[in-house]
Amino acid sequence: ENFREKMRLLAGSTAELEKASKISLCKLSLEQARLWEMQHSVADSLVGTSLSHTVLDCFKRNNENLAETFSKEFKMKPKTYRRIQLNGLAFCKNWSRMRELSEDKQVMRYLTLLDFAHACVKNSNDEEAVGYVERLDDCEDKAYMLMRLKRYSESLECAYAIGDIAILLAIKSSSAEGFIVEKASKRLEMLLEQKAADENANAPALSSSARSRGLSAVTDSIQDKAGCAQQ
């Protein structure tokens, strides 16, 4: 009854717009009525919600075909649809379908492997996220995500390979495992020594104590970056 009343009011508004020759607004009103009718056929609670909300709701009902029907019927932008699709599948823990999509070139025009990894983490499946992270080409993203997933050994090697001192410092302060802390410290020292050497290539050799003070100064200067990497 409430739905029919809404439709009656909308029809009245559409008629008024037509009389006033508000053609564009009249078309929008008719489109809204069509959306409400389709929403009502799925669930009363959907009537009046946005198209994006409706499509996501279809995925949460494990009805991907219906979600696609709504997106095509109302001309949803492909990028918007793919993002909703990813979030909906992750919410339903349909990991196999997500893996299938990640191999689809058409889908990957609008999404990235990092999007898939974040969707897995958001829905409490770190192990599934690792599979996407390992396929990343961007080493900085890979090092950061591996650290976030507490894959410290892999992360520090990746960070060391690209000279990311901030991530190495973050790993050193985050890990509770002694061998990881020691490994990160060694890699960090090697990078800091290289950085100091590059900056002082033409300067006279420094004493051990002077080199130590220099490395300490460099380390202090990037502590803020490390704090950002941990967040």
Side-chain angles (χ1 to χ4, degrees), residues 44-222:
D44 287 340
S45 59
L46 285 177
V47 177
T49 62
S50 68
L51 177 60
S52 293
H53 177 91
T54 302
V55 172
L56 180 60
D57 185 85
C58 291
F59 278 110
K60 289 182 177 181
R61 294 170 186 269
N62 283 308
N63 196 333
E64 188 169 352
N65 289 334
L66 185 58
E68 189 172 357
T69 297
F70 269 101
S71 72
K72 288 181 177 179
E73 190 70 22
F74 296 97
K75 299 179 175 58
M76 176 176 275
K77 291 181 180 179
K79 186 171 184 177
T80 301
Y81 175 70
R82 292 304 180 186
R83 289 194 176 279
I84 293 174
Q85 181 183 34
L86 176 61
N87 289 327
L89 291 173
F91 177 86
C92 293
K93 305 190 185 308
N94 194 340
W95 313 119
S96 60
R97 178 63 173 142
M98 285 175 60
R99 288 192 291 272
E100 181 184 328
L101 289 177
S102 75
E103 300 289 349
D104 188 321
K105 291 182 179 179
Q106 181 66 24
V107 173
M108 298 309 286
R109 289 176 57 193
Y110 307 105
L111 299 173
T112 67
L113 291 170
L114 197 58
D115 291 328
F116 281 80
H118 282 305
C120 292
V121 171
K122 182 179 178 181
N123 289 277
S124 307
N125 194 338
D126 289 359
E127 283 303 312
E128 189 70 23
V130 171
Y132 296 109
V133 172
E134 289 176 341
R135 292 165 57 192
L136 289 172
D137 291 325
D138 188 302
C139 289
E140 187 173 355
D141 284 341
K142 182 182 287 188
Y144 170 76
M145 284 301 295
L146 286 169
M147 179 187 68
R148 182 176 175 183
L149 293 166
K150 295 182 170 54
R151 306 282 287 232
Y152 295 124
S153 185
E154 298 160 79
S155 177
L156 72 85
E157 291 300 344
C158 193
Y160 175 69
I162 59 173
D164 197 319
I165 294 172
I167 288 182
L168 285 174
L169 280 170
I171 292 171
K172 183 180 176 182
S173 62
S174 298
S175 178
E177 300 178 67
F179 80 97
I180 290 293
V181 173
E182 183 180 356
K183 195 173 183 181
S185 297
K186 288 180 178 178
R187 293 288 188 268
L188 186 59
E189 184 176 359
M190 291 168 67
L191 283 180
L192 290 173
E193 286 182 342
Q194 183 59 53
K195 183 179 177 67
D198 290 343
E199 292 177 352
N200 299 284
N202 299 316
L206 298 173
S207 66
S208 295
S209 59
R211 185 174 72 249
S212 178
R213 289 195 300 272
L215 290 176
S216 178
V218 173
T219 301
D220 290 343
S221 72
I222 58 177

Side-chain angles (χ1 to χ4, degrees), residues 1-8 10 31-51 53-55 57-58 61 66 70 74:
E1 186 65 32
N2 186 45
F3 168 69
R4 290 304 162 195
E5 178 62 16
K6 284 182 178 180
M7 291 299 291
R8 187 186 68 76
L10 185 58
E31 188 82 345
Q32 186 69 57
R34 200 159 60 88
L35 175 60
W36 283 8
E37 287 280 8
M38 282 188 65
Q39 289 174 329
H40 179 63
S41 70
V42 179
D44 287 340
S45 59
L46 285 177
V47 177
T49 62
S50 68
L51 177 60
H53 177 91
T54 302
V55 172
D57 185 85
C58 291
R61 294 170 186 269
L66 185 58
F70 269 101
F74 296 97

